[in-house]
Amino acid sequence: ARPAAAWLFDATGGGAPGKWLTRLLPDATERDIVMRQLAEGFNCPRSSAVGRYFDAAAALLGLADCNHHEAQAPMALEAAIAPACERVLPYRIAEAAGDQPMEIDLRPAVLELIGRLDADEPVGELAAAFHNTMAAALAETAARAAKAAGLDTVALSGGVFANRYLSMRMAELLVMDYELKLMAHRRVPPNDGGLALGQAAVAAARMAGIKSKVA
């Protein structure tokens, strides 16, 4: 629920609708503390993790307010997807400038999302729309970056790609629409399991190097 409150706060320039904040953070004390932290930028570092947006969307749709185990909220969001929904919410992409990287702006998406929730649109369709939006934004950004770098291959990696719907949707966009080659995980998981395996491989290589030097 806290990433959802932060997303609303950011999208509205600090004027997040009170009814939504009350719905997300029903405890008045917690709500006051979180909003003060956001206003003052205290102990609330910015994150570029896609997973936090999945947490936020799940909370906004009333599917989860806390992760009691890893990716609980994002899994609930994926499970809620209504089939055959092609809707994409609005988003913006800011081009790279100087030292600033290309940036996806999802503020328009959250405002559209709460507007459609206020209109009592089905949660399943909005869960699908959120996934479609993330896939479209990520695929477009990857395609722009690949073109700028003169590359024709994109690799999908990171815990968010344990989400089958997102992975399949992005694969379709990257291959069919942007005509790019795709690399994706098969035998090694894209999340922390794959990271741990990579760390173990690096450690093994270093140990082997040390042993060979001693010999």
Side-chain angles (χ1 to χ4, degrees), residues 47 124 139 160 170 213:
S47 171
V160 71
M170 277 198 69
K213 289 178 182 178

Side-chain angles (χ1 to χ4, degrees), residues 55-68:
D55 289 337
L60 285 169
L61 296 182
L63 299 169
D65 59 3
C66 182
N67 283 312
H68 297 283

Side-chain angles (χ1 to χ4, degrees), residues 13 41 44 46 73 77 86 91 93 119 133 141 156 170 182 211-212:
C44 49
R46 292 182 178 273
L77 187 65
E86 298 297 322
Y91 64 89
I93 296 178
T133 305
T141 303
L156 304 183
M170 277 198 69
L182 185 67
K211 289 179 179 178
S212 64

Side-chain angles (χ1 to χ4, degrees), residues 27-105:
D27 182 86
T29 301
E30 180 186 11
R31 186 166 62 249
D32 180 60
I33 291 172
V34 169
M35 295 311 293
R36 286 174 60 189
Q37 284 183 282
L38 289 169
E40 298 171 11
F42 178 72
N43 278 355
C44 49
R46 292 182 178 273
S47 171
S48 61
V50 175
R52 302 295 71 74
Y53 283 100
F54 278 79
D55 289 337
L60 285 169
L61 296 182
L63 299 169
D65 59 3
C66 182
N67 283 312
H68 297 283
H69 58 77
E70 185 178 4
Q72 178 180 352
M75 285 192 290
L77 187 65
E78 183 182 9
I81 292 172
C85 176
E86 298 297 322
R87 177 183 294 154
V88 176
L89 304 172
Y91 64 89
R92 293 186 290 262
I93 296 178
E95 291 289 353
D99 294 334
Q100 295 298 315
M102 197 181 308
E103 187 174 85
I104 297 171
D105 182 359

Side-chain angles (χ1 to χ4, degrees), residues 194-212:
L195 181 63
L197 178 61
Q199 291 171 328
V202 171
R206 287 182 177 175
M207 291 179 67
I210 292 172
K211 289 179 179 178
S212 64

Side-chain angles (χ1 to χ4, degrees), residues 99-120:
D99 294 334
Q100 295 298 315
M102 197 181 308
E103 187 174 85
I104 297 171
D105 182 359
L106 292 174
R107 296 182 186 97
V110 71
L111 296 176
E112 179 82 5
L113 196 61
I114 61 173
R116 292 186 178 278
L117 280 167
D118 282 337
D120 294 323

